[in-house]
Amino acid sequence: MKVTVKYFARYREALGVDSVKVEGDFATVDDVRAFLVQRDSADVLSEQNLMCARNEDLCQLDEPVSDGDEVAFFPTVTGG
Amino acid sequence: MAIRVQSTAFDPGAEVNAMHAANVGVGAVVSFVGYVRDFNDGLDVAGMFLEHYPGMTEKALGKIATEAEQRWPLLKLEVLHRIGALEPGEPIVFVGAASAHRQAAFDACAFVMDYLKTRAPFWKKENTSDGPRWVEGRDSDHAAVDRWRK
């Protein structure tokens, strides 16, 4: 399955890229996260306050993923 | 409802006036305006950049506004948020809620702001006297949103 991953704000800067494509056998958003921590040494994705979204909706790490999904990881939001 | 995410400045007074224009059934308008401060966490702030998640931002704000409209009898609801570069003193965010009576407008405005703070994908990067830094989320923002879950 192919998933597009987007990073924002401090994570985007820490990882030096705003988007990556990953391919693998993922069941959940957390599987995608763990894959990136391993493959890209993306340690920032292990932070406790990490937030995530699937197809532009906030979700939890146990959210199921499907082929073609867009997953995003970002630090706590600070708008307003 | 109206959701606007824009890089251009806006006039909060004009936004408030537009909340009851052409609808004399509106008896109450409650608005919130958030501004860029010139200090934060002990440092002078010369400006900031607001990053967002194009597409998700509008969707997230729309969901929050829809929930507010389902909870309170609103006649109009507007959410406006700036993105990009901002200077101290500039308005960042406007939330306006119009209803026949005041309580719905007060509650809906506070509800939208509390959810916006914790659910809408915006991130502030301040240009401080010590250099650029990302603003970190506050626990008090999560406590504020918890009061609506009952």
Side-chain angles (χ1 to χ4, degrees), chain B residues 26-63:
Chain B
V26 169
V29 172
V30 172
S31 65
F32 174 86
V33 184
Y35 294 91
V36 180
R37 288 185 298 161
D38 66 356
F39 68 96
N40 189 28
D41 281 340
L43 293 178
D44 289 339
V45 174
M48 67 166 58
F49 188 89
L50 259 158
E51 181 171 331
H52 78 126
Y53 183 169
M56 178 175 168
T57 310
E58 294 80 358
K59 196 172 167 182
L61 294 175
K63 281 173 75 173

Side-chain angles (χ1 to χ4, degrees), chain A residues 10-22:
Chain A
R10 187 166 51 78
Y11 291 2
R12 176 179 51 72
E13 286 188 349
L15 297 167
V17 61
D18 57 13
S19 178
V20 292
K21 291 194 188 303
V22 294

Side-chain angles (χ1 to χ4, degrees), chain A residues 9 12-13 55 70 78 80, chain B residues 51 53 81 122 124-125 134:
Chain A
R12 176 179 51 72
E13 286 188 349
N55 296 335
E70 177 176 298
T78 55
Chain B
E51 181 171 331
Y53 183 169
H81 207 295
F122 294 102
K124 290 176 181 145
K125 190 177 193 181
W134 291 101

